Amino acid sequence: MKTAYSAVYKITSQPILPLMMGLFLYLVTSSFAKAEELNDIGQLQWQSRVLLMQGSDEAKTTFAQALEDDAKALSERHIYWFIFQSENVESNYPGDISQNFKNSIKAEYFGNTGDGDVIILIGKDGSPKLFTSELDLQQLYETIDSMPMRQQEIKNQ
């Protein structure tokens, strides 16, 4: 006579090593997988904060260097940054960035800004949180760290 207990025992007593190895390989290979192509800023909503920048060539070089130098702090705050140049975008986003993304960001956020230096922080909720013309990482971090969602992230760490 089979009981429910014997059926459960039979299933759970099977060698688990092959299952664990499969799971391990899946996790390792998926962590190195390239991120999906970015077509719309909405793809990042509720997952990441976004820093959008445009400006003079000198400012773009300064922005990029400062952001690359402080990659750990940006990563801790879930920030993807995008520096818009005439034809391309420099970014820390791990996947491809579509032309549609570039065009829509330029139209929506930089359409009326002229050629000056503009930096815009977009929160995880998708709304703009900070507009400035100078990259002040301390101000950026203070702005983010004061947000309720970031406060919760800090508590959960």
Side-chain angles (χ1 to χ4, degrees), residues 90-145:
E90 188 173 346
S91 177
N92 65 337
Y93 183 74
D96 292 332
I97 301 169
S98 75
Q99 190 62 44
N100 184 55
F101 177 82
K102 297 172 194 175
N103 294 340
S104 65
I105 294 297
K106 285 181 181 180
E108 185 173 347
Y109 293 100
F110 300 124
N112 298 323
T113 60
D115 292 332
D117 298 345
V118 179
I119 301 168
I120 304 168
L121 172 65
I122 309 293
K124 284 188 174 184
D125 65 356
S127 65
K129 306 294 183 186
L130 177 69
F131 291 87
T132 185
S133 60
E134 292 182 32
L135 181 63
D136 180 344
L137 290 176
Q138 190 61 38
Q139 177 190 20
L140 177 71
Y141 298 151
E142 288 172 4
T143 300
I144 291 170
D145 292 347

Side-chain angles (χ1 to χ4, degrees), residues 2-59:
K2 285 193 171 188
T3 65
Y5 175 76
S6 65
V8 169
Y9 175 76
K10 185 176 181 181
I11 291 170
T12 58
S13 66
Q14 297 298 316
I16 197 161
L17 186 60
L19 177 64
M20 293 303 291
M21 287 301 293
L23 179 61
F24 174 76
L25 290 173
Y26 169 76
L27 292 173
V28 167
T29 57
S30 66
S31 67
F32 292 111
K34 194 172 186 179
E36 67 179 303
E37 181 178 54
L38 189 58
N39 293 302
D40 182 77
I41 197 167
Q43 290 172 249
L44 301 174
Q45 190 170 1
W46 303 115
Q47 298 173 26
S48 303
R49 293 173 182 92
V50 177
L51 194 60
L52 305 171
M53 292 169 262
Q54 84 164 11
S56 66
D57 289 340
E58 181 182 325

